[in-house]
Amino acid sequence: MATITFKDDVTGKAVQMPVLEPTHGQSVVDIGKLAKEFGYFTYDPGFMSTASCQSTITYLDGDKGELLYRGYPIEQLAEQCNFLEVCYLLLYGDLPNPEKKKIFEESIIRHDRITEGLRRFFQGFNYDAHPMAMMTAAVSSLSAFYHDRLNIRDYEHRMVTARRLIAKMPTIAAACYKHSIGDPAVYPRDDLSYTGNLLYMMFSRPGKRYEVNPVAERALDVLFTLHADHEQNASTSTVRLAGSSGCNPYAAIAAGIACLWGPAHGGANEAVLRMLDQIGDVKNVDAFMAKVKDKNSGVRLMGFGHRVYKNFDPRARIIKDICHQVLDSFGHDPRLELAMRLEEIALSDSYFIERKLYPNVDFYSGIIYSALKIPVEMFTVMFAIARTSGWISHWMEMVSEPDMKIGRPRQLYVGPVQRNVITLAQRT
Ligand code: ACO
């Protein structure tokens, strides 16, 4: 086994630390003994150099622009599988055969309703509550309604909870949307697909016949596959950290949803649409790009750049194709033309080339959602439906480890040293 020697220059003490070899990608130095051997902790804000766990679920290579779920390339999964097959893959480790696929789909249909008590829960929210606020609260409340299978040490309990969550997320999402427009929530239908059902629950109106558009249904399905997992991102790490205390999985997933809500994580596609609206016309693109390259302007090309991808985000290529298909079917959106012009300029401009800035997953997804008449406040909710499959798979992986430990990072304390409390009268 390869090792790396750590040496304390003050004491001269040297200790070898093992280098752990992955099946794919970068090796990792196991520094577990560092504190015991040297009395030092490591300092790595933002986890820039830290692997927080072992995982068998998702692999991504930011330099190559490669993304694999359980070893399968994202391009093949997006083209050949539907989202529920991908959920099965993430949860169980392999793609289902036809029989397992059918059983899984039936179990999702069986669990897609929410209890009437939970439906009434939405009536307590203000009509103008943000859908992410409602979704975070509703998912957290699931443990109050479905507490019959919450033994996290029981594999069957964990699997039932995972299927319940995946099944109920579209129903909860649609209930959030319906509440925000003052419409009654719609019950799911057994004869529709996962994304067909979501569209039906969001857009059907009492007394009106609703036909699911197959282009919209497939586009959403592919978007969900692309957003299903992305290894140890902020929300997934949040789910793992929350879950490491042994809390129930609904609480851990609610923590992940809260984390996703932040603009640095799930909110970028909303920012892309705002940016395109602000540019307004292709004739303004050059002036906008000049601002982006001016460091003093504080303007960024939203939907470009990624902490890990220093090459094309493979999901962006797929999303661009779907964007064309959706707009062919739903009508032209001048924002697509704008986005393509921005991309064209950026990919040939030395500012972006030198900094390895490429379109990310959010560059085109907002245009698709917008064409499907999904309001901007619901974009992150859509992301949460898809990512639930990844979150719960990571939670399952962590909880099934025999030596699961509570996550407890250390700190570099830079506050006051010990001092004595003085009386209230003496304090200035
Ligand atoms: N537009 C213009 N310049 C950029 C952009 C951008 N979108 N992104 C990075 N840069 C520049 C920075 O100014 C910096 O330049 P410098 O070296 O001259 O100072 C350099 O590229 C490196 O940028 P960092 O911010 O250090 O890179 P980091 O990896 O920390 O940031 C991030 C990644 C936050 C995604 C960034 O690229 C960004 O802000 N992009 C726009 C927002 C966005 O699309 N976010 C969605 C990401 S995907 C997701 O979360 C699902």
Side-chain angles (χ1 to χ4, degrees):
M1 179 192 282
T3 57
I4 285 190
T5 303
F6 285 68
K7 185 169 172 240
D8 183 331
D9 288 338
V10 178
T11 62
K13 182 175 179 180
V15 177
Q16 288 181 326
M17 306 278 169
V19 174
L20 307 179
E21 292 304 335
T23 49
H24 210 19
Q26 246 166 312
S27 306
V28 168
V29 188
D30 178 354
I31 54 154
K33 286 194 298 185
L34 200 73
K36 197 168 155 229
E37 295 286 353
F38 292 106
Y40 294 133
F41 298 130
T42 54
Y43 180 59
D44 183 21
F47 298 104
M48 302 293 284
S49 309
T50 298
S52 59
C53 62
Q54 282 192 22
S55 183
T56 60
I57 301 173
T58 292
Y59 173 76
L60 91 89
D61 184 325
D63 292 324
K64 282 198 213 149
E66 183 180 44
L67 174 62
L68 312 175
Y69 295 166
R70 301 283 192 186
Y72 295 109
I74 191 69
E75 294 84 356
Q76 292 178 24
L77 292 169
E79 197 181 319
Q80 297 176 47
C81 302
N82 69 20
F83 176 63
L84 281 187
E85 286 171 80
V86 169
C87 291
Y88 184 100
L89 170 69
L90 293 172
L91 276 178
Y92 292 93
D94 219 334
L95 285 167
N97 62 22
E99 190 197 348
K100 287 178 178 164
K101 181 179 170 195
K102 187 165 172 281
I103 295 170
F104 187 67
E105 285 171 350
E106 283 168 358
S107 96
I108 296 298
I109 291 169
R110 197 162 53 248
H111 288 299
D112 66 6
R113 272 124 189 92
I114 52 174
T115 180
E116 288 303 304
L118 179 52
R119 275 163 62 87
R120 283 194 293 275
F121 200 81
F122 285 92
Q123 288 159 17
F125 293 119
N126 239 25
Y127 74 94
D128 57 355
H130 195 286
M132 282 298 279
M134 292 191 265
M135 175 172 257
T136 312
V139 170
S140 178
S141 80
L142 288 174
S143 56
F145 295 106
Y146 302 95
H147 42 72
D148 56 320
R149 299 280 214 292
L150 288 182
N151 179 0
I152 66 169
R153 297 276 155 236
D154 184 311
Y155 174 82
E156 210 33 58
H157 281 208
R158 295 199 295 267
M159 275 299 178
V160 168
T161 304
R163 292 193 296 261
R164 273 183 174 157
L165 264 164
I166 291 169
K168 292 184 198 309
M169 285 300 276
T171 316
I172 291 172
C176 295
Y177 174 61
K178 285 296 196 186
H179 181 73
S180 70
I181 59 168
D183 269 8
V186 173
Y187 288 93
R189 260 173 49 186
D190 287 2
D191 60 326
L192 295 178
S193 70
Y194 191 79
T195 49
N197 223 346
L198 172 62
L199 289 166
Y200 165 73
M201 288 188 286
M202 282 181 75
F203 298 120
S204 66
R205 317 250 346 228
K208 270 199 149 185
R209 196 175 159 74
Y210 181 82
E211 293 291 340
V212 175
N213 179 303
V215 177
E217 183 182 19
R218 177 67 188 148
L220 262 193
D221 192 90
V222 177
L223 280 180
F224 283 3
T225 290
L226 301 180
H227 281 105
D229 196 36
H230 214 225
E231 54 120 299
Q232 310 309 322
N233 57 85
S235 56
T236 303
S237 300
T238 301
V239 169
R240 280 184 176 264
L241 191 57
S244 75
S245 72
C247 71
N248 76 71
Y250 300 118
I253 300 296
I257 297 172
C259 176
L260 184 75
W261 193 0
H265 193 3
N269 48 14
E270 195 177 325
V272 172
L273 272 204
R274 276 202 303 271
M275 174 188 77
L276 295 175
D277 286 338
Q278 191 197 331
I279 299 171
D281 193 283
V282 176
K283 71 176 191 305
N284 302 325
V285 162
D286 289 343
F288 178 78
M289 285 306 239
K291 266 200 241 162
V292 167
K293 291 193 280 176
D294 173 6
K295 291 302 228 182
N296 299 319
S297 73
V299 175
R300 286 201 164 191
L301 179 56
M302 298 311 288
F304 255 71
H306 195 276
R307 173 60 63 78
V308 184
Y309 290 118
K310 299 303 170 196
N311 200 326
F312 248 94
D313 180 336
R315 302 167 300 174
R317 288 184 204 276
I318 304 169
I319 286 185
K320 187 177 174 182
D321 288 346
I322 308 171
C323 195
H324 281 286
Q325 288 163 25
V326 167
L327 295 190
D328 284 348
S329 174
F330 284 81
H332 178 67
D333 182 339
R335 291 177 294 192
L336 176 62
E337 200 191 327
L338 263 183
M340 290 197 310
R341 181 72 190 123
L342 288 169
E343 181 186 335
E344 191 185 305
I345 295 176
L347 293 181
S348 58
D349 189 301
S350 58
Y351 175 95
F352 296 89
I353 295 169
E354 280 160 17
R355 291 168 180 79
K356 300 186 175 170
L357 301 171
Y358 292 89
N360 62 47
V361 69
D362 289 317
F363 196 59
Y364 288 101
S365 63
I367 300 175
I368 301 176
Y369 285 140
S370 182
L372 303 184
K373 304 273 179 286
I374 293 170
V376 168
E377 314 76 67
M378 286 292 288
F379 286 6
T380 321
V381 169
M382 295 290 137
F383 194 158
I385 299 174
R387 188 53 62 84
T388 294
S389 57
W391 289 330
I392 196 67
S393 303
H394 281 271
W395 176 82
M396 302 254 301
E397 180 174 67
M398 179 187 71
V399 171
S400 53
E401 282 166 7
D403 57 347
M404 179 180 90
K405 284 192 181 63
I406 185 167
R408 178 42 170 106
R410 306 305 290 250
Q411 64 170 3
L412 173 67
Y413 177 70
V414 291
V417 293
Q418 188 176 347
R419 50 188 173 159
N420 294 323
V421 175
I422 51 175
T423 65
L424 184 58
Q426 288 174 307
R427 288 176 230 158
T428 53

